[in-house]
Amino acid sequence: MSVEGGGIKSNLDQARDWFHKKWYGDQGETAPLLNRETGTIGPPKKTTFRIVTTIIALVIALIVLGITIGFWVNDREKKKERDPPHVPNNPSNLTDAEDLMLTLPSKHNLQHYLKTLTSVPHLAGTETDKMQAEWTRDLLESFGLDTKIETYWPLLNYPISHRLALFSGPKHLRFEAKLTEESLDEDKTSKDPNVVPTFHGYSKNGTVIGRVVYANYGRPEDFQLLKDRGIELEGTIALVRYGESFRGLKVKAAEDFGCIGALIYSDPIEDGPLNKDNTTNPDKSYPKGPWRSKSSVQRGSVQYFSIITGDPLTPGYAATENATRIKLEDSPGLPKIPSLPLSWEDALPLLKATQGFGICCEAGWAGGLEEVDYFSGPTEGKVILVNHIENKVTPIWNVISRIEGIEEPDKAIILGNHRDAWVYGAVDPSSGTASFLELARVLGEILKTGWRPRRTIILASWDAEEYGLVGSTEWVEDNKDWLDKEGTVYINVDMAVSGPHFNAKASPSLNRLLYSVTSLIKDPRTGGTVFDAWANDHELSSDDEEEEQPPIGILGSGSDFVPFLDHVGIPCIDFSFSGDYGVYHSNYDSYHWMVTYGDPDFLYHQTLVRLWGILTLRLSDSPALPLYPSDYTVELSKYFKSLSTLATPHTFPQLSQALEKLEKTTRRFERRRQRLESRLSEYESLSQAPHNLVKRLNKLNLRLTHFERGFIDPDGIEGREWFKHVVYAPGLWTGYAPQVFPAIVDSINEKNYEKARQAEDRVSQSIRKAAEWLKEDFK
């Protein structure tokens, strides 16, 4: 052994001797002690060092144990927040009102309502629309509901005449477009001589002449590709197909790239019969199947509704009769070039005229028409596009019912569906309107039993949704101050039923409620629950509690939840049962289509009423509002990761810190909520609970009601200030699809990172404000 090794051993021996003496003391201290009173030998006397060391060791052990338990509990809580428990079917937990909500909805009533609603076209602002508003009001009053019609005066437009013709160039290519849908012997409403002509809502009045360029889906990137390839766009008429983005934004892109007109057609590869599954229905065009036919046309609005929503002439304030209006040409939401919707039958001759001109065979540019190769053109011959329309400020009619709450009347659960349609609108929106009416009837029947909701319930039948969410937006703008104080949740149903597959979009704080309620409702097709069928559609197992839940989508745009969520900050749900739906916004969205392909026995209409009703009762009657901010933070974390990936290498430290603060606040909030609910469960009713617990409950509900308001930035998103939610907005160039953290993403897409940093600051402030709402001490 080396000297160095011997030294180490000697040091270790000395240390061990020192510790032994300190622990046991010297020989006198370690010798047994004689107890003089008993004559017995006691244990050795413990040294001071031994006592202190033992205490220190115990304290350290307890600290380590506490930290370990803390990490374990924290991890469990985070896991619960990430994966809210799937609530199994448990009918014994139903209240008397909920039991009636499951048993009273009638298929016969639903069928009767739908047949009445689809018996005439009811375009917004027309006499038939007014007649249906009055019929709806009278029906709601007959159910015992306090009901009134509220009138607004927005700008709407109506078709006078239209024309599309290729009038020059090679004679064999010239043609005159039909611009009308064929009548069908099987569908009597398709023969109505008063049917609404094919046109675009809010389209520009005018006539243009130019060559036609095919521009795929009409997205900015499609036009940019043509420009980069040397295709002349200035002064042309763009031919684009439906899909991928909202129709109004296709017109805007065409306008931005110098086109003088736009034509939007339905390609058979989109909602036509090509490549469709025939498991449920034939893969044929209507009337032999549910899919779009060659003459079918998708009408619709071309308002730029990712920029503004509602009446284009009163942006941000209600379109009352004597409101101040901006000039039509000054509205940022209206097109500056005329447009028309087309069938693929009318688009095909134009595509034939592009053959051999321009570019061809770009990836993703080909549709389903086998007769052409989808060249860009422009055509050799010229086209005349005539869109003669009348613009006028005209009345529309919202129908509003109110059921006053008894304990918390200053919190409102709002149920909405729009009533107007482009033509007959069996799916869009009358399946939702029929369901809305039956839900109102059932609520009226429950009221007869003596039940009253804890919170106020408002039922709203909106008008002019199809033009740009007009009726709901004007009502929200008119009632903004009141909604800011009392609006609690908005539940929207639009295209309620077109098949058997459940879909939902919602504010994340409502996800848990959706999972719970769908677990209570029977699915007609499978015999299990709606939740199980929903999970099965996404190939998920509902038996494994660790399994991922079926997806709840993000709210974008396209229906009446937009003003509630994006302008005021009220949490929303939008849901439906979807299927093989190929007659959207056409003359064929009819009663005959519904009873042949959509929901022949009205079982899914009935199921939707039950689901909508239980959601309403849980939100209106639960002592603690079933809103869960912790579920919101889980989704925000996902959005942040996506944003960070998009912006790499740029980072967002302020936003990250704000989200951390929100997560800690919501975790603390949920713990306190659980303790309060546990205490309250000890009493049979709230009337028996101590005053201090009831006071804490009221404070809890106020915090939950205002939580989403925290995400509202009063200044809005730069360039589209009407949209004020910092987390959600319609995609700037998609429209229907959502964009999360929209102000930041808009700036990144502009490659303006200084603006993105400013947007991050505002978003972070709002998220911190939302966290503060959960701590607000309401007096």
Side-chain angles (χ1 to χ4, degrees):
M1 180 179 291
S2 67
V3 175
E4 198 173 277
I8 292 171
K9 184 176 185 304
S10 175
N11 289 339
L12 287 173
D13 289 342
Q14 290 176 16
R16 185 167 56 249
D17 289 342
W18 177 85
F19 184 82
H20 187 274
K21 288 179 181 179
K22 287 292 183 181
W23 186 262
Y24 295 107
D26 56 26
Q27 184 63 30
E29 286 181 321
T30 58
L33 298 178
L34 180 66
N35 187 316
R36 298 180 184 276
E37 294 180 5
T38 62
T40 59
I41 297 176
K45 180 182 177 182
K46 291 183 174 63
T47 67
T48 302
F49 175 82
R50 186 173 179 179
I51 293 169
V52 171
T53 302
T54 301
I55 291 170
I56 291 171
L58 284 171
V59 169
I60 292 171
L62 287 171
I63 290 170
V64 170
L65 180 62
I67 291 170
T68 303
I69 291 171
F71 276 121
W72 180 77
V73 169
N74 187 56
D75 186 64
R76 267 178 70 94
E77 288 181 352
K78 284 188 176 181
K79 189 175 188 320
K80 285 179 182 178
E81 290 165 9
R82 287 194 303 269
D83 304 308
H86 164 48
V87 182
N89 187 3
N90 190 359
S92 62
N93 287 337
L94 296 176
T95 65
D96 291 343
E98 290 172 345
D99 196 40
L100 288 171
M101 186 58 73
L102 294 182
T103 57
L104 290 180
S106 161
K107 294 181 294 179
H108 172 77
N109 289 345
L110 285 156
Q111 185 169 7
H112 167 69
Y113 299 146
L114 190 77
K115 193 166 187 176
T116 302
L117 289 161
T118 56
S119 62
V120 292
H122 43 289
L123 185 63
T126 61
E127 278 304 309
T128 50
D129 178 39
K130 183 179 182 183
M131 287 170 55
Q132 290 206 350
E134 292 169 345
W135 174 75
T136 300
R137 176 201 59 198
D138 295 345
L139 203 55
L140 293 171
E141 286 180 340
S142 75
F143 299 152
L145 305 184
D146 181 19
T147 306
K148 62 182 177 179
I149 290 178
E150 297 188 6
T151 305
Y152 294 97
W153 283 262
L155 173 76
L156 299 180
N157 70 335
Y158 300 96
I160 296 174
S161 64
H162 55 199
R163 184 188 178 207
L164 179 70
L166 179 58
F167 65 90
S168 69
K171 288 186 178 181
H172 72 282
L173 292 175
R174 298 178 189 180
F175 89 108
E176 187 84 27
K178 294 178 181 178
L179 301 181
T180 190
E181 296 171 296
E182 294 178 3
S183 64
L184 304 172
D185 291 338
E186 297 90 338
D187 191 342
K188 66 179 183 179
T189 53
S190 71
K191 300 175 181 292
D192 191 328
N194 298 315
V195 70
V196 178
T198 56
F199 83 111
H200 280 147
Y202 287 140
S203 57
K204 168 77 172 175
N205 181 63
T207 298
V208 293
I209 295 174
R211 296 189 297 165
V212 168
V213 171
Y214 170 64
N216 196 22
Y217 288 113
R219 301 164 296 186
E221 57 263 37
D222 295 324
F223 285 103
Q224 188 63 52
L225 186 148
L226 292 174
K227 185 177 179 180
D228 292 345
R229 295 296 186 87
I231 304 301
E232 181 61 42
L233 296 173
E234 196 74 30
T236 63
I237 297 172
L239 173 65
V240 301
R241 54 181 170 143
Y242 278 111
E244 296 296 319
S245 64
F246 174 65
R247 70 184 77 78
L249 300 176
K250 299 174 188 290
V251 176
K252 186 178 191 309
E255 178 187 313
D256 289 351
F257 279 85
C259 298
I260 58 173
L263 303 166
I264 311 177
Y265 82 99
S266 299
D267 195 280
I269 207 168
E270 300 299 332
D271 56 1
L274 295 184
N275 306 324
K276 298 301 190 294
D277 178 33
N278 61 6
T279 304
T280 305
N281 290 305
D283 54 350
K284 304 290 183 184
S285 290
Y286 187 67
K288 294 182 179 180
W291 301 107
R292 195 174 295 277
S293 60
K294 65 179 182 178
S295 74
S296 178
V297 178
Q298 183 192 135
R299 297 159 183 79
S301 174
V302 288
Q303 183 188 54
Y304 302 162
F305 75 15
S306 62
I307 296 174
I308 66 166
T309 291
D311 174 37
L313 304 186
T314 58
Y317 56 96
T320 55
E321 187 171 12
N322 298 313
T324 301
R325 290 171 170 81
I326 64 173
K327 294 179 181 179
L328 187 145
E329 58 268 24
D330 292 336
S331 174
L334 293 178
K336 305 298 188 291
I337 61 174
S339 64
L340 286 174
L342 300 181
S343 65
W344 78 68
E345 182 180 39
D346 279 341
L348 182 58
L350 297 175
L351 289 167
K352 285 181 177 179
T354 66
Q355 297 304 287
F357 297 98
I359 63 172
C360 175
C361 309
E362 293 294 327
W365 277 56
L369 293 168
E370 297 178 354
E371 300 93 328
V372 292
D373 289 324
Y374 290 89
F375 277 84
S376 68
T379 57
E380 187 177 353
K382 290 187 175 182
V383 165
I384 182 169
L385 185 168
V386 178
N387 183 50
H388 187 194
I389 53 100
E390 177 190 14
N391 290 306
K392 64 177 182 179
V393 172
T394 188
I396 61 170
W397 306 276
N398 292 334
V399 184
I400 309 294
S401 293
R402 183 182 180 97
I403 304 172
E404 193 75 11
I406 52 173
E407 279 97 358
E408 297 180 75
D410 57 348
K411 293 182 184 61
I413 310 302
I414 305 162
L415 320 177
N417 157 264
H418 78 90
R419 189 186 61 257
D420 65 298
W422 285 114
V423 197
Y424 301 103
V427 173
D428 183 12
S430 299
S431 62
T433 308
S435 302
F436 172 88
L437 292 171
E438 183 62 1
L439 174 60
R441 185 192 71 82
V442 173
L443 286 170
E445 291 297 312
I446 298 174
L447 284 168
K448 291 176 184 177
T449 68
W451 168 84
R452 293 295 181 273
R454 178 180 180 83
R455 302 176 188 95
T456 296
I457 299 172
I458 291 173
L459 298 95
S461 171
W462 309 119
D463 203 355
E465 185 271 356
E466 295 292 7
Y467 278 84
L469 323 180
V470 178
S472 58
T473 298
E474 301 315 303
W475 189 82
V476 167
E477 290 173 346
D478 204 17
N479 294 279
K480 187 175 182 297
D481 292 342
W482 168 78
L483 286 168
D484 193 47
K485 294 176 183 176
E486 301 187 10
T488 303
V489 172
Y490 174 70
I491 308 178
N492 187 69
V493 170
D494 188 340
M495 299 185 290
V497 180
S498 60
H501 304 289
F502 182 72
N503 298 284
K505 296 176 287 186
S507 300
S509 55
L510 287 158
N511 288 358
R512 207 175 302 193
L513 176 65
L514 268 169
Y515 290 136
S516 172
V517 172
T518 53
S519 298
L520 296 172
I521 310 297
K522 183 179 178 180
D523 177 68
R525 175 173 54 102
T526 64
T529 67
V530 170
F531 180 94
D532 293 337
W534 180 21
N536 189 57
D537 282 344
H538 294 276
E539 299 181 347
L540 303 174
S541 170
S542 61
D543 296 328
D544 185 358
E545 289 192 3
E546 298 298 319
E547 188 65 59
E548 184 183 356
Q549 307 280 20
I552 295 173
I554 301 171
L555 292 159
S557 187
S559 198
D560 292 301
F561 55 80
V562 171
F564 291 92
L565 178 66
D566 294 343
H567 197 63
V568 182
I570 294 172
C572 297
I573 299 174
D574 180 78
F575 67 95
S576 64
F577 287 96
S578 64
D580 300 337
Y581 181 41
V583 294
Y584 174 65
H585 285 188
S586 77
N587 195 30
Y588 309 127
D589 189 0
S590 62
Y591 180 79
H592 180 267
W593 185 94
M594 180 63 77
V595 298
T596 307
Y597 301 113
D599 189 22
D601 298 319
F602 288 80
L603 291 171
Y604 278 93
H605 285 75
Q606 185 182 45
T607 302
L608 186 133
V609 174
R610 289 169 175 157
L611 205 160
W612 198 354
I614 298 296
L615 284 170
T616 301
L617 293 175
R618 293 279 164 102
L619 285 163
S620 63
D621 279 353
S622 299
L625 279 164
L627 292 162
Y628 296 90
S630 59
D631 294 347
Y632 217 121
T633 62
V634 173
E635 298 306 310
L636 286 172
S637 177
K638 295 176 185 176
Y639 305 157
F640 180 74
K641 288 178 183 177
S642 298
L643 176 66
S644 299
T645 301
L646 173 70
T648 302
H650 299 276
T651 59
F652 303 96
Q654 287 187 75
L655 182 55
S656 177
Q657 292 169 12
L659 291 172
E660 286 179 13
K661 173 180 172 60
L662 180 63
E663 196 223 356
K664 290 177 182 177
T665 303
T666 54
R667 197 160 61 244
R668 190 181 306 115
F669 177 85
E670 296 290 7
R671 282 199 299 267
R672 291 174 177 173
R673 173 207 189 111
Q674 289 169 9
R675 288 197 294 268
L676 175 60
E677 289 185 314
S678 177
R679 290 283 308 278
L680 289 170
S681 68
E682 298 170 7
Y683 304 92
E684 290 186 9
S685 69
L686 285 180
S687 61
Q688 298 175 352
H691 174 71
N692 69 310
L693 290 185
V694 175
K695 186 177 179 181
R696 284 171 57 191
L697 175 65
N698 291 335
K699 195 174 290 186
L700 172 88
N701 286 335
L702 279 167
R703 290 170 176 172
L704 289 168
T705 296
H706 289 88
F707 170 66
E708 186 120 22
R709 298 295 195 277
F711 299 123
I712 292 297
D713 180 350
D715 292 339
I717 302 169
E718 185 176 339
R720 42 181 179 149
E721 284 77 11
W722 187 90
F723 293 94
K724 300 184 182 300
H725 204 293
V726 300
V727 180
Y728 302 117
L732 186 59
W733 282 106
T734 58
Y736 288 129
Q739 180 61 66
V740 296
F741 299 130
I744 299 175
V745 172
D746 287 356
S747 303
I748 291 170
N749 290 338
E750 295 171 12
K751 301 191 184 316
N752 187 337
Y753 292 99
E754 182 180 349
K755 183 179 171 184
R757 191 65 66 206
Q758 293 169 357
E760 179 197 7
D761 179 59
R762 298 193 69 83
V763 172
S764 301
Q765 288 180 39
S766 291
I767 288 172
R768 291 179 184 277
K769 184 171 65 175
E772 290 304 314
W773 275 122
L774 295 179
K775 300 187 288 185
E776 180 69 22
D777 189 17
F778 292 97
K779 300 299 183 184

